[in-house]
Amino acid sequence: VPEVSKGAGRPREEKVDEAIVRATRAVLAERGYAGLTVDAVAAAAGVGKAAIYRRHATKQEMIFAATVHDLALEAPSDGASLAADLVAVAEGFAEQLGRAPADVLAGLLADIYGDPALAERFAATFLVRQQAVLEEVLDRAVGRNELAQPVDVRVAHALLLGPVFAWMLIVDGDPDRTGVLARLAGEAAASALLGTGRGDR
Amino acid sequence: VPEVSKGAGRPREEKVDEAIVRATRAVLAERGYAGLTVDAVAAAAGVGKAAIYRRHATKQEMIFAATVHDLALEAPSDGASLAADLVAVAEGFAEQLGRAPADVLAGLLADIYGDPALAERFAATFLVRQQAVLEEVLDRAVGRNELAQPVDVRVAHALLLGPVFAWMLIVDGDPDRTGVLARLAGEAAASALLGTGRGDR
């Protein structure tokens, strides 16, 4: 029945995707980051390990996909000012990072900082997607004549993601105030970039 | 000759401190973070391992002390405005982090994120010292009536350290422009904190 299995391929694949995400979250909840194995996720999802490795090059990328990562990360709707847009982007970063339990984020960071190849793959997916969102928001500000000259997207990225990251993962800030911090970071970044982008310095 | 050895104790201890710092840097330069062992540092310094462990609880803390850490981290001289002071503090953070080779910083971060007890000890030394510097700078701004109400030092810390950290260790920014980024982060943080500290919101 090759025709049938071919026709049914797409939905079946999506079901496997979902089963792996659900199983990863369940195993993380039960055993924590350090205790998770691909074998345990495969067993909980009712799939073979090959099905997992076809989707994710490493255990870390499987965990990332099931917790932090949101393929659908999009630019916020136009907030009519660079400040409003950057606040929305910073809040999005905070929400995205806040989806993973603290031990999962710390464990992922340990593995990423310990493995340059893994760090490069994360940059090529996660960071590139965040920067695409920022590019769109910066382009809008040029369109509004808020910014007279282009701004380096990495500068904007560091000014927005940095404070949110530091709040959650360095200075151990109050989790209930991450949103407040994200708003401040957005306003601070807008003020700095509007100064830089004025073209008078 | 107990009296003599007692009198000579201080300088001898300082020489051992210096020998360990020099040896740690030499072994890092030769073998990198992953290849460094306490045995190799002890041999290169001509001291016993006990002399190292009396000073540093772990290999990571020894490496940190020999690269990033500066016990003498002090508040910058009064720049006459919160913005000038925060720029100086951000530039200090950048200089401090920039002292360690990139592989050392990444390796330290991997170990810190992988070990909550180590993370806690780093917070209690490194981060607490940075926050003491920030407290002093924020107090000056209150004294100048720039800030009408106290500001949470962790907020200021995240707004300043976050962008510098992200530039160097997340978005892979141009190392030649870390100083520019630090200045922007200082100006951005001042603008956000002066808004928050006005007391009208």
Side-chain angles (χ1 to χ4, degrees):
Chain A
V1 275
E3 287 309 307
V4 170
S5 72
K6 210 173 173 186
R10 191 68 53 92
R12 165 77 187 139
E13 288 296 294
E14 277 170 18
K15 273 186 188 160
V16 172
D17 291 344
E18 285 162 26
I20 292 170
V21 165
R22 270 199 312 273
T24 303
R25 290 179 184 162
V27 174
L28 281 176
E30 197 188 311
R31 305 192 187 180
Y33 184 86
L36 180 143
T37 62
V38 171
D39 281 315
V41 172
V47 303
K49 279 171 74 170
I52 291 178
Y53 283 119
R54 268 199 306 277
R55 289 165 172 79
H56 308 289
T58 60
K59 176 178 85 167
Q60 287 82 5
E61 279 151 300
M62 176 188 74
I63 293 172
F64 191 77
T67 55
V68 180
H69 194 38
D70 183 354
L71 279 170
L73 183 71
E74 300 288 350
S77 60
D78 192 331
S81 73
L82 179 60
D85 280 0
L86 291 183
V87 166
V89 172
E91 288 174 338
F93 290 170
E95 198 209 318
Q96 200 178 23
L97 286 178
R99 272 179 217 155
D103 79 303
V104 171
L105 277 184
L108 280 173
L109 286 166
D111 289 345
I112 290 171
Y113 282 115
D115 178 350
L118 196 59
E120 210 160 290
R121 282 208 305 282
F122 272 100
T125 52
F126 182 57
L127 299 181
V128 162
R129 186 73 206 116
Q130 290 191 336
Q131 289 182 4
V133 164
L134 272 173
E135 290 275 16
E136 186 170 337
V137 158
L138 293 170
D139 283 350
R140 284 182 198 160
V142 171
R144 277 184 216 110
N145 293 317
E146 282 191 284
L147 287 177
Q149 58 193 35
V151 164
D152 180 347
V153 72
R154 287 181 194 227
V155 170
H157 200 189
L159 289 173
L160 275 193
L161 178 62
V164 171
F165 182 94
W167 184 256
M168 298 176 71
L169 291 155
I170 302 179
V171 307
D172 193 26
D174 178 357
D176 290 341
R177 293 176 59 218
T178 304
V180 173
L181 195 277
R183 272 196 296 286
L184 270 181
E187 290 168 8
S191 140
L193 295 176
L194 291 173
T196 309
R198 271 199 315 262
D200 61 358
R201 58 177 199 172
Chain B
V1 277
E3 287 311 304
V4 170
S5 72
K6 212 172 172 186
R10 191 68 53 92
R12 165 76 186 140
E13 287 297 294
E14 277 169 19
K15 274 188 188 158
V16 172
D17 292 345
E18 284 162 25
I20 293 170
V21 165
R22 270 199 312 272
T24 303
R25 290 177 183 162
V27 173
L28 281 176
E30 198 188 312
R31 305 192 186 178
Y33 184 86
L36 180 144
T37 62
V38 172
D39 281 317
V41 172
V47 303
K49 279 171 76 170
I52 291 178
Y53 283 120
R54 269 199 306 276
R55 288 164 173 80
H56 308 288
T58 59
K59 176 177 85 169
Q60 288 82 6
E61 279 150 302
M62 176 188 73
I63 293 172
F64 190 76
T67 54
V68 180
H69 194 39
D70 181 354
L71 278 170
L73 183 69
E74 300 289 348
S77 60
D78 193 330
S81 73
L82 179 60
D85 279 359
L86 291 183
V87 165
V89 172
E91 288 174 338
F93 290 170
E95 198 209 317
Q96 201 177 21
L97 286 178
R99 270 178 219 156
D103 79 304
V104 172
L105 277 184
L108 279 173
L109 287 166
D111 289 344
I112 289 171
Y113 283 115
D115 179 349
L118 195 59
E120 212 160 289
R121 282 208 305 282
F122 273 101
T125 52
F126 182 56
L127 299 181
V128 161
R129 187 74 208 118
Q130 290 192 335
Q131 289 181 3
V133 165
L134 273 173
E135 290 276 17
E136 186 171 336
V137 158
L138 293 171
D139 282 349
R140 284 182 199 161
V142 171
R144 276 184 218 111
N145 292 318
E146 282 190 284
L147 287 177
Q149 58 192 34
V151 164
D152 181 348
V153 71
R154 287 182 194 226
V155 170
H157 201 188
L159 289 174
L160 275 194
L161 178 62
V164 172
F165 182 95
W167 184 257
M168 297 176 70
L169 292 155
I170 301 179
V171 307
D172 194 26
D174 178 356
D176 291 340
R177 291 176 60 220
T178 304
V180 174
L181 194 279
R183 272 196 295 286
L184 270 181
E187 290 167 7
S191 140
L193 294 176
L194 291 172
T196 309
R198 270 198 313 263
D200 61 357
R201 58 177 200 177

